[in-house]
mmCIF file of all heavy atoms in Angstrom:
data_model
loop_
_atom_site.group_PDB
_atom_site.id
_atom_site.type_symbol
_atom_site.label_atom_id
_atom_site.label_comp_id
_atom_site.label_asym_id
_atom_site.label_seq_id
_atom_site.Cartn_x
_atom_site.Cartn_y
_atom_site.Cartn_z
ATOM 1 N N PHE O 1440 8.261 13.752 -15.193
ATOM 2 C CA PHE O 1440 7.231 13.226 -14.141
ATOM 3 C C PHE O 1440 5.920 13.427 -14.738
ATOM 4 O O PHE O 1440 4.997 12.581 -14.681
ATOM 5 C CB PHE O 1440 7.357 14.056 -12.927
ATOM 6 C CG PHE O 1440 8.199 13.368 -11.879
ATOM 7 C CD1 PHE O 1440 9.352 12.825 -12.085
ATOM 8 C CD2 PHE O 1440 7.811 13.460 -10.445
ATOM 9 C CE1 PHE O 1440 10.174 12.251 -11.225
ATOM 10 C CE2 PHE O 1440 8.593 12.845 -9.459
ATOM 11 C CZ PHE O 1440 9.795 12.315 -9.862
ATOM 12 N N ASP O 1444 3.203 10.373 -15.412
ATOM 13 C CA ASP O 1444 1.855 10.334 -14.759
ATOM 14 C C ASP O 1444 0.744 10.323 -15.802
ATOM 15 O O ASP O 1444 -0.314 9.770 -15.586
ATOM 16 C CB ASP O 1444 1.807 11.392 -13.805
ATOM 17 C CG ASP O 1444 2.443 11.083 -12.461
ATOM 18 O OD1 ASP O 1444 2.598 9.961 -12.143
ATOM 19 O OD2 ASP O 1444 2.647 12.020 -11.611
ATOM 20 N N ALA O 1448 -2.082 7.434 -15.897
ATOM 21 C CA ALA O 1448 -3.538 7.844 -15.849
ATOM 22 C C ALA O 1448 -4.315 7.216 -16.916
ATOM 23 O O ALA O 1448 -5.468 6.898 -16.755
ATOM 24 C CB ALA O 1448 -3.649 9.412 -15.862
ATOM 25 N N PHE O 1469 12.827 7.482 3.021
ATOM 26 C CA PHE O 1469 13.643 6.344 3.353
ATOM 27 C C PHE O 1469 15.118 6.384 2.886
ATOM 28 O O PHE O 1469 15.872 5.475 3.323
ATOM 29 C CB PHE O 1469 12.975 5.017 2.756
ATOM 30 C CG PHE O 1469 11.511 4.875 3.285
ATOM 31 C CD1 PHE O 1469 10.506 4.894 2.429
ATOM 32 C CD2 PHE O 1469 11.334 4.499 4.590
ATOM 33 C CE1 PHE O 1469 9.217 4.554 2.830
ATOM 34 C CE2 PHE O 1469 9.977 4.257 5.091
ATOM 35 C CZ PHE O 1469 8.957 4.445 4.188
ATOM 36 N N TYR O 1477 11.477 3.665 -17.772
ATOM 37 C CA TYR O 1477 10.427 3.865 -18.702
ATOM 38 C C TYR O 1477 10.917 3.444 -20.140
ATOM 39 O O TYR O 1477 12.049 3.544 -20.522
ATOM 40 C CB TYR O 1477 9.729 5.202 -18.685
ATOM 41 C CG TYR O 1477 10.602 6.340 -19.127
ATOM 42 C CD1 TYR O 1477 10.635 6.862 -20.431
ATOM 43 C CD2 TYR O 1477 11.433 6.933 -18.189
ATOM 44 C CE1 TYR O 1477 11.352 7.849 -20.798
ATOM 45 C CE2 TYR O 1477 12.180 8.090 -18.595
ATOM 46 C CZ TYR O 1477 12.135 8.485 -19.961
ATOM 47 O OH TYR O 1477 12.919 9.657 -20.227
ATOM 48 N N ARG O 1496 21.373 -4.956 6.391
ATOM 49 C CA ARG O 1496 22.181 -5.888 6.962
ATOM 50 C C ARG O 1496 21.375 -6.937 7.668
ATOM 51 O O ARG O 1496 21.712 -8.112 7.645
ATOM 52 C CB ARG O 1496 23.111 -5.327 8.021
ATOM 53 C CG ARG O 1496 24.177 -4.416 7.436
ATOM 54 C CD ARG O 1496 25.145 -3.827 8.597
ATOM 55 N NE ARG O 1496 26.233 -3.021 8.164
ATOM 56 C CZ ARG O 1496 27.037 -2.458 8.832
ATOM 57 N NH1 ARG O 1496 27.041 -2.493 10.263
ATOM 58 N NH2 ARG O 1496 28.131 -1.672 8.416
ATOM 59 N N TYR O 1510 0.917 -3.000 -4.915
ATOM 60 C CA TYR O 1510 1.070 -3.328 -6.313
ATOM 61 C C TYR O 1510 2.241 -2.696 -7.009
ATOM 62 O O TYR O 1510 2.944 -1.686 -6.540
ATOM 63 C CB TYR O 1510 -0.270 -2.751 -7.008
ATOM 64 C CG TYR O 1510 -1.579 -3.177 -6.524
ATOM 65 C CD1 TYR O 1510 -2.588 -2.173 -6.386
ATOM 66 C CD2 TYR O 1510 -1.728 -4.328 -5.915
ATOM 67 C CE1 TYR O 1510 -3.821 -2.496 -5.778
ATOM 68 C CE2 TYR O 1510 -3.111 -4.649 -5.232
ATOM 69 C CZ TYR O 1510 -4.104 -3.695 -5.270
ATOM 70 O OH TYR O 1510 -5.241 -3.949 -4.603
ATOM 71 N N ILE O 1545 -0.651 -7.657 -10.056
ATOM 72 C CA ILE O 1545 -1.949 -8.047 -9.682
ATOM 73 C C ILE O 1545 -2.278 -9.304 -10.511
ATOM 74 O O ILE O 1545 -2.696 -10.355 -9.986
ATOM 75 C CB ILE O 1545 -2.972 -7.039 -9.883
ATOM 76 C CG1 ILE O 1545 -2.654 -5.756 -9.096
ATOM 77 C CG2 ILE O 1545 -4.313 -7.511 -9.759
ATOM 78 C CD1 ILE O 1545 -3.556 -4.498 -9.366
ATOM 79 N N SER O 1549 3.459 -13.728 -18.267
ATOM 80 C CA SER O 1549 3.994 -14.946 -18.995
ATOM 81 C C SER O 1549 5.486 -15.119 -18.716
ATOM 82 O O SER O 1549 6.137 -15.959 -19.350
ATOM 83 C CB SER O 1549 3.744 -14.741 -20.414
ATOM 84 O OG SER O 1549 4.434 -13.530 -21.007
ATOM 85 N N ARG O 1602 -2.680 13.879 13.771
ATOM 86 C CA ARG O 1602 -3.580 13.107 14.487
ATOM 87 C C ARG O 1602 -3.762 11.629 14.079
ATOM 88 O O ARG O 1602 -3.940 10.752 14.906
ATOM 89 C CB ARG O 1602 -5.106 13.772 14.339
ATOM 90 C CG ARG O 1602 -5.194 15.223 15.006
ATOM 91 C CD ARG O 1602 -6.411 15.840 14.528
ATOM 92 N NE ARG O 1602 -7.630 14.998 14.961
ATOM 93 C CZ ARG O 1602 -8.903 15.382 14.401
ATOM 94 N NH1 ARG O 1602 -8.996 16.300 13.459
ATOM 95 N NH2 ARG O 1602 -9.947 14.616 14.860
ATOM 96 N N LEU O 1614 0.609 -4.597 17.423
ATOM 97 C CA LEU O 1614 0.822 -5.691 16.624
ATOM 98 C C LEU O 1614 2.163 -6.356 16.456
ATOM 99 O O LEU O 1614 2.368 -7.379 15.832
ATOM 100 C CB LEU O 1614 0.305 -5.305 15.137
ATOM 101 C CG LEU O 1614 -1.172 -5.091 14.984
ATOM 102 C CD1 LEU O 1614 -1.412 -4.442 13.645
ATOM 103 C CD2 LEU O 1614 -2.014 -6.224 15.132
ATOM 104 N N VAL O 1647 -10.626 8.519 18.186
ATOM 105 C CA VAL O 1647 -10.689 7.072 18.389
ATOM 106 C C VAL O 1647 -9.993 6.314 17.411
ATOM 107 O O VAL O 1647 -9.279 5.382 17.794
ATOM 108 C CB VAL O 1647 -12.191 6.611 18.404
ATOM 109 C CG1 VAL O 1647 -12.383 5.264 18.555
ATOM 110 C CG2 VAL O 1647 -13.070 7.474 19.427
ATOM 111 N N TYR O 1654 -6.525 8.094 -3.553
ATOM 112 C CA TYR O 1654 -7.508 8.181 -4.469
ATOM 113 C C TYR O 1654 -6.945 8.122 -5.911
ATOM 114 O O TYR O 1654 -6.039 8.777 -6.194
ATOM 115 C CB TYR O 1654 -8.354 9.444 -4.278
ATOM 116 C CG TYR O 1654 -9.092 9.511 -3.031
ATOM 117 C CD1 TYR O 1654 -8.387 9.767 -1.853
ATOM 118 C CD2 TYR O 1654 -10.437 9.220 -2.838
ATOM 119 C CE1 TYR O 1654 -9.007 9.770 -0.574
ATOM 120 C CE2 TYR O 1654 -11.158 9.257 -1.637
ATOM 121 C CZ TYR O 1654 -10.451 9.523 -0.512
ATOM 122 O OH TYR O 1654 -11.116 9.602 0.698
ATOM 123 N N ARG O 1685 -18.998 5.467 2.268
ATOM 124 C CA ARG O 1685 -20.102 6.349 2.040
ATOM 125 C C ARG O 1685 -19.715 7.723 1.517
ATOM 126 O O ARG O 1685 -20.309 8.281 0.531
ATOM 127 C CB ARG O 1685 -20.887 6.744 3.367
ATOM 128 C CG ARG O 1685 -22.102 7.598 3.315
ATOM 129 C CD ARG O 1685 -22.687 7.866 4.617
ATOM 130 N NE ARG O 1685 -21.731 8.595 5.530
ATOM 131 C CZ ARG O 1685 -21.475 9.860 5.421
ATOM 132 N NH1 ARG O 1685 -22.178 10.597 4.525
ATOM 133 N NH2 ARG O 1685 -20.635 10.546 6.282
ATOM 134 N N GLY O 1691 -18.386 10.427 -6.060
ATOM 135 C CA GLY O 1691 -18.370 9.750 -7.418
ATOM 136 C C GLY O 1691 -17.329 8.668 -7.562
ATOM 137 O O GLY O 1691 -17.205 8.032 -8.728
ATOM 138 N N ASP O 1730 18.639 -18.695 -3.697
ATOM 139 C CA ASP O 1730 18.286 -19.953 -4.197
ATOM 140 C C ASP O 1730 16.722 -20.148 -4.055
ATOM 141 O O ASP O 1730 16.060 -21.013 -4.690
ATOM 142 C CB ASP O 1730 18.890 -21.146 -3.729
ATOM 143 C CG ASP O 1730 20.419 -21.191 -4.117
ATOM 144 O OD1 ASP O 1730 20.807 -20.686 -5.115
ATOM 145 O OD2 ASP O 1730 21.323 -21.681 -3.163
#
Side-chain angles (χ1 to χ4, degrees):
F1440 269 43
D1444 277 341
F1469 301 114
Y1477 66 94
R1496 290 182 180 179
Y1510 310 138
I1545 298 177
S1549 59
R1602 289 171 62 193
L1614 291 170
V1647 173
Y1654 296 78
R1685 180 186 64 79
D1730 294 328

